[in-house]
Amino acid sequence: MVFFKARPGWQSPYPKVTPEGVFWRRRRFMTSLIGAGVGLAASAGGCRRSGPMDADLERSLGVPLPAVPRHRAFADAGREPTPQRYASSYNNYYEFGGSKNIWASAQALPTDPWKLDVSGLVKNPVSFDLEDLTRQFELEERIYRFRCVEAWAMVVPWIGFPMRALMALVEPTAAAKYVRFTSFYDPMVTPGPNFGFARNLPWPYTEGLTVAEMANELAFFAVGVYGRTLPKQHGAPIRMVVPWKYGFKGAKAIVRIEFVAEQPATYWNTLAPNEYGFEANVEPDVPHPRWSQAKERLVGESTALFTWEEQPTVIYNGYGEWVAGLYG
Ligand code: MTE
């Protein structure tokens, strides 16, 4: 397969956005389309109509960060950034429930103090607190396309640092082939969704990459978004962002990173291996067993009523120029 393009994959004309009420009506429409069963799309509920951002939501949005440089290659995602009132109130964070409307319950996430341990097959294992993370790494902004496996998409201005900066610090050994990322989990704080099927979920939430994927220019740790510290609903204080893969690969609220020799078990892949692969790259020609991945719906405004704006999905979410070489 050849995925290299003369121009970024997203350089096709995408329409701009619509009024907020349309967004919420569409969300209700989408919800009614989504079937039940074990899987990410089983729970796209929680629709609610709101005016301008409500005060509680606004309070959940973190504190302003000092201005950081914007990475030149990722200053334009070919689509307008999704307004934050949508991106920060339409989330997947199953530790806090099975609907998209978890932003309020996610405020229970305890983020201070925070400890992130990096260990396994590395020369310099390290344990960071929050201050170390923002002091040791140079922060930058990257506007990335975001594609959920459920076929909705956003554009998000993340603030953080490339994963490879952390790799340079810990120096993985030659034996390290994969990396396991573990999210915060405490059953007293993160009850999980209240579904019948949800009794034996493989907590904590874990994700994995190959070492080569983690070393790729695109792979990013976010500690902020929309110019502010990361809100809890997005996985404060630090989460993964791997924009050429489906959104579930981006584990939130990371407490542990381990360099390992074998492919690690991961949350969704353990739960439903036929639906959620380990690699999970955005591939329009590879349908999910229950829906097509050929198109995606943009969360945000649009001119058409009752459906989100539908656009063709682009291989590797438009980032083939950076990552196609990883997959031969
Ligand atoms: N990380 C944890 N710990 N728990 C989760 O439920 N959901 C994933 C991913 N990371 C999830 C997670 C999924 S399915 C998606 S689509 C994205 O987070 C959503 O990120 P967002 O809510 O910041 O848009």
Side-chain angles (χ1 to χ4, degrees):
M1 283 189 286
V2 177
F3 299 120
F4 284 101
K5 290 182 159 62
R7 58 182 167 80
W10 57 67
Q11 275 184 12
S12 51
Y14 289 101
K16 301 250 158 99
V17 272
T18 38
E20 194 169 24
V22 173
F23 166 80
W24 294 111
R25 284 200 296 280
R26 284 178 180 169
R27 191 159 123 181
R28 193 170 303 140
F29 174 74
M30 278 295 286
T31 302
S32 70
L33 289 182
I34 292 165
V38 174
L40 286 162
S43 59
C47 74
R48 96 200 155 93
R49 186 150 178 194
S50 76
M53 196 182 316
D54 87 40
D56 287 338
L57 176 58
E58 199 158 1
R59 268 193 292 280
S60 78
L61 300 183
V63 298
L65 283 167
V68 296
R70 182 175 286 170
H71 192 298
R72 224 182 303 148
F74 311 117
D76 176 6
R79 294 171 174 171
E80 294 294 311
T82 304
Q84 186 172 17
R85 63 184 180 279
Y86 303 147
S88 300
S89 63
Y90 187 82
N91 303 98
N92 275 336
Y93 200 170
Y94 283 81
E95 286 89 331
F96 292 102
S99 84
K100 298 288 183 279
N101 189 13
I102 54 73
W103 67 263
S105 46
Q107 302 316 306
L109 180 72
T111 55
D112 189 14
W114 193 263
K115 202 157 81 83
L116 168 61
D117 290 321
V118 188
S119 62
L121 302 170
V122 293
K123 289 187 191 146
N124 316 310
V126 62
S127 182
F128 294 105
D129 65 24
L130 206 49
E131 223 189 316
D132 296 330
L133 280 172
T134 44
R135 211 182 30 218
Q136 293 216 18
F137 299 102
E138 232 164 273
L139 301 186
E140 61 188 36
E141 185 177 54
R142 296 183 175 199
I143 302 177
Y144 275 161
R145 295 154 73 99
F146 181 96
R147 173 57 154 82
C148 179
V149 72
E150 296 164 338
W152 51 266
M154 301 195 196
V155 173
V156 185
W158 303 106
I159 291 170
F161 57 92
M163 288 192 186
R164 62 189 194 189
L166 183 138
M167 293 175 77
L169 201 76
V170 299
E171 296 186 73
T173 66
K177 301 290 179 234
Y178 292 88
V179 194
R180 171 169 46 217
F181 302 82
T182 304
S183 294
F184 174 88
Y185 176 67
D186 174 348
M188 300 303 286
V189 181
T190 55
N194 189 18
F195 298 146
F197 73 79
R199 282 191 201 101
N200 294 311
L201 296 177
W203 303 117
Y205 195 100
T206 49
E207 257 311 331
L209 296 174
T210 64
V211 165
E213 287 173 331
M214 187 178 180
N216 186 269
E217 170 64 29
L218 288 178
F220 201 61
F221 287 118
V223 297
V225 73
Y226 295 95
R228 306 169 79 94
T229 53
L230 205 58
K232 295 182 178 187
Q233 56 267 42
H234 285 293
I238 179 165
R239 57 97 48 90
M240 305 166 64
V241 183
V242 278
W244 73 100
K245 294 180 178 286
Y246 290 120
F248 70 87
K249 294 296 291 182
K252 299 181 172 186
I254 301 166
V255 293
R256 193 158 49 253
I257 299 172
E258 295 154 285
F259 288 79
V260 295
E262 308 287 341
Q263 182 178 304
T266 55
Y267 183 86
W268 286 108
N269 188 238
T270 302
L271 205 52
N274 58 326
E275 305 206 353
Y276 309 109
F278 177 83
E279 193 169 272
N281 293 327
V282 175
E283 291 186 74
D285 298 339
V286 180
H288 183 279
R290 290 185 281 131
W291 58 85
S292 164
Q293 294 292 18
K295 294 200 169 157
E296 60 198 32
R297 292 190 164 80
L298 301 185
V299 174
E301 300 173 276
S302 146
T303 50
L305 287 174
F306 303 120
T307 57
W308 290 353
E309 200 62 54
E310 209 177 53
Q311 300 293 337
T313 304
V314 183
I315 182 73
Y316 300 132
N317 206 18
Y319 294 104
E321 184 184 332
W322 286 274
V323 296
L326 288 170
Y327 307 108

